Amino acid sequence: MGTMTGLRLLPWSDPDGKPCYLASDDGNSPLSRRADAIEAVQMSMGADLLHHAWALLDAPKADARELRYLAERLCEALRDVLRVAESRGARLPSYGEGDGPDEDPAPGSAGDGCD
Protein backbone atom coordinates (compact mmCIF):
# COMPACT_ATOMS: atom_id res chain seq x y z
CA MET A 1 0.00 0.00 0.00
CA GLY A 2 1.26 3.50 -0.75
CA THR A 3 2.14 6.19 1.72
CA MET A 4 -0.88 7.63 3.45
CA THR A 5 -1.28 11.34 3.74
CA GLY A 6 -3.54 13.12 6.17
CA LEU A 7 -5.82 11.45 8.66
CA ARG A 8 -7.75 8.20 8.31
CA LEU A 9 -11.33 8.24 9.51
CA LEU A 10 -11.73 5.19 11.72
CA PRO A 11 -14.85 3.01 11.64
CA TRP A 12 -15.83 3.90 15.20
CA SER A 13 -16.55 7.04 17.18
CA ASP A 14 -15.58 8.22 20.64
CA PRO A 15 -17.98 7.91 23.62
CA ASP A 16 -19.50 11.30 22.70
CA GLY A 17 -20.22 10.15 19.14
CA LYS A 18 -17.44 12.23 17.60
CA PRO A 19 -15.38 10.70 14.76
CA CYS A 20 -12.00 9.14 15.52
CA TYR A 21 -9.00 9.54 13.22
CA LEU A 22 -5.65 7.82 12.81
CA ALA A 23 -2.55 9.80 11.86
CA SER A 24 -0.08 7.33 10.38
CA ASP A 25 2.02 6.91 7.29
CA ASP A 26 1.86 3.13 7.79
CA GLY A 27 -1.26 1.66 6.22
CA ASN A 28 -0.23 -1.67 7.71
CA SER A 29 0.04 -0.60 11.35
CA PRO A 30 -1.80 -2.69 13.97
CA LEU A 31 -4.49 0.00 14.32
CA SER A 32 -4.91 0.27 10.54
CA ARG A 33 -5.30 -3.50 10.27
CA ARG A 34 -7.83 -3.43 13.13
CA ALA A 35 -9.79 -0.69 11.37
CA ASP A 36 -9.71 -2.70 8.12
CA ALA A 37 -11.06 -5.75 9.95
CA ILE A 38 -13.86 -3.76 11.59
CA GLU A 39 -14.79 -2.17 8.25
CA ALA A 40 -15.02 -5.66 6.72
CA VAL A 41 -17.30 -6.82 9.55
CA GLN A 42 -19.48 -3.71 9.20
CA MET A 43 -19.84 -4.24 5.45
CA SER A 44 -20.68 -7.93 5.94
CA MET A 45 -23.23 -7.15 8.65
CA GLY A 46 -24.84 -4.55 6.40
CA ALA A 47 -25.16 -7.08 3.58
CA ASP A 48 -26.64 -9.67 5.95
CA LEU A 49 -29.08 -7.11 7.33
CA LEU A 50 -30.17 -6.13 3.82
CA HIS A 51 -30.89 -9.78 3.04
CA HIS A 52 -32.92 -10.05 6.26
CA ALA A 53 -34.76 -6.81 5.44
CA TRP A 54 -35.95 -8.12 2.07
CA ALA A 55 -37.20 -11.30 3.75
CA LEU A 56 -39.05 -9.36 6.46
CA LEU A 57 -40.57 -6.94 3.97
CA ASP A 58 -41.89 -9.92 1.98
CA ALA A 59 -43.50 -11.38 5.11
CA PRO A 60 -47.20 -10.43 5.11
CA LYS A 61 -47.45 -10.75 8.90
CA ALA A 62 -44.52 -8.49 9.82
CA ASP A 63 -45.77 -6.12 12.51
CA ALA A 64 -44.90 -2.48 13.19
CA ARG A 65 -42.56 -3.39 16.06
CA GLU A 66 -40.49 -5.68 13.82
CA LEU A 67 -40.40 -3.13 11.01
CA ARG A 68 -39.36 -0.34 13.39
CA TYR A 69 -36.55 -2.49 14.78
CA LEU A 70 -35.48 -3.30 11.22
CA ALA A 71 -35.49 0.40 10.28
CA GLU A 72 -33.30 1.26 13.27
CA ARG A 73 -30.77 -1.45 12.39
CA LEU A 74 -30.78 -0.38 8.72
CA CYS A 75 -30.04 3.21 9.80
CA GLU A 76 -27.11 2.00 11.90
CA ALA A 77 -25.77 -0.12 9.03
CA LEU A 78 -26.13 2.78 6.58
CA ARG A 79 -24.24 5.07 8.98
CA ASP A 80 -21.43 2.52 9.23
CA VAL A 81 -21.23 1.94 5.47
CA LEU A 82 -21.23 5.68 4.76
CA ARG A 83 -18.36 6.12 7.24
CA VAL A 84 -16.42 3.32 5.50
CA ALA A 85 -17.07 4.93 2.11
CA GLU A 86 -15.96 8.34 3.38
CA SER A 87 -12.80 6.88 4.92
CA ARG A 88 -11.88 4.89 1.82
CA GLY A 89 -12.71 7.75 -0.52
CA ALA A 90 -10.47 10.11 1.43
CA ARG A 91 -7.59 7.66 1.00
CA LEU A 92 -7.91 7.42 -2.79
CA PRO A 93 -5.13 9.12 -4.71
CA SER A 94 -6.13 12.47 -6.11
CA TYR A 95 -5.35 13.34 -9.70
CA GLY A 96 -3.64 16.62 -10.48
CA GLU A 97 -3.98 18.52 -13.72
CA GLY A 98 -2.83 16.19 -16.51
CA ASP A 99 -2.60 13.15 -14.21
CA GLY A 100 -6.15 11.88 -14.64
CA PRO A 101 -7.07 8.52 -16.08
CA ASP A 102 -8.94 10.25 -18.93
CA GLU A 103 -5.80 11.76 -20.43
CA ASP A 104 -5.12 8.90 -22.86
CA PRO A 105 -8.05 7.64 -24.91
CA ALA A 106 -8.93 4.00 -24.45
CA PRO A 107 -7.91 1.57 -27.18
CA GLY A 108 -10.48 1.56 -29.96
CA SER A 109 -11.90 4.95 -29.01
CA ALA A 110 -12.02 8.04 -31.19
CA GLY A 111 -8.68 9.70 -31.73
CA ASP A 112 -6.47 6.62 -31.51
CA GLY A 113 -6.23 6.02 -35.26
CA CYS A 114 -8.24 2.78 -35.18
CA ASP A 115 -11.60 2.42 -36.90
Side-chain angles (χ1 to χ4, degrees):
M1 199 176 268
T3 302
M4 294 179 60
T5 58
L7 300 175
R8 175 183 178 168
L9 176 62
L10 295 171
W12 57 80
S13 56
D14 73 5
D16 296 326
K18 296 178 183 171
C20 294
Y21 295 90
L22 171 63
S24 174
D25 290 337
D26 183 5
N28 198 32
S29 70
L31 191 53
S32 284
R33 289 193 311 269
R34 178 75 173 149
D36 291 341
I38 290 173
E39 285 180 354
V41 168
Q42 289 173 329
M43 299 290 285
S44 177
M45 288 174 61
D48 291 345
L49 183 59
L50 183 59
H51 178 75
H52 176 72
W54 283 118
L56 186 61
L57 291 172
D58 282 341
K61 294 189 179 193
D63 65 24
R65 180 184 52 81
E66 291 172 307
L67 294 172
R68 180 175 179 82
Y69 182 81
L70 173 64
E72 290 171 354
R73 301 297 77 80
L74 286 170
C75 288
E76 291 168 357
L78 179 59
R79 178 203 59 215
D80 292 344
V81 168
L82 289 172
R83 183 182 292 137
V84 170
E86 180 182 350
S87 177
R88 291 181 181 181
R91 289 180 280 143
L92 290 174
S94 60
Y95 293 104
E97 185 93 15
D99 291 342
D102 296 328
E103 293 303 313
D104 295 322
S109 65
D112 67 356
C114 297
D115 288 337

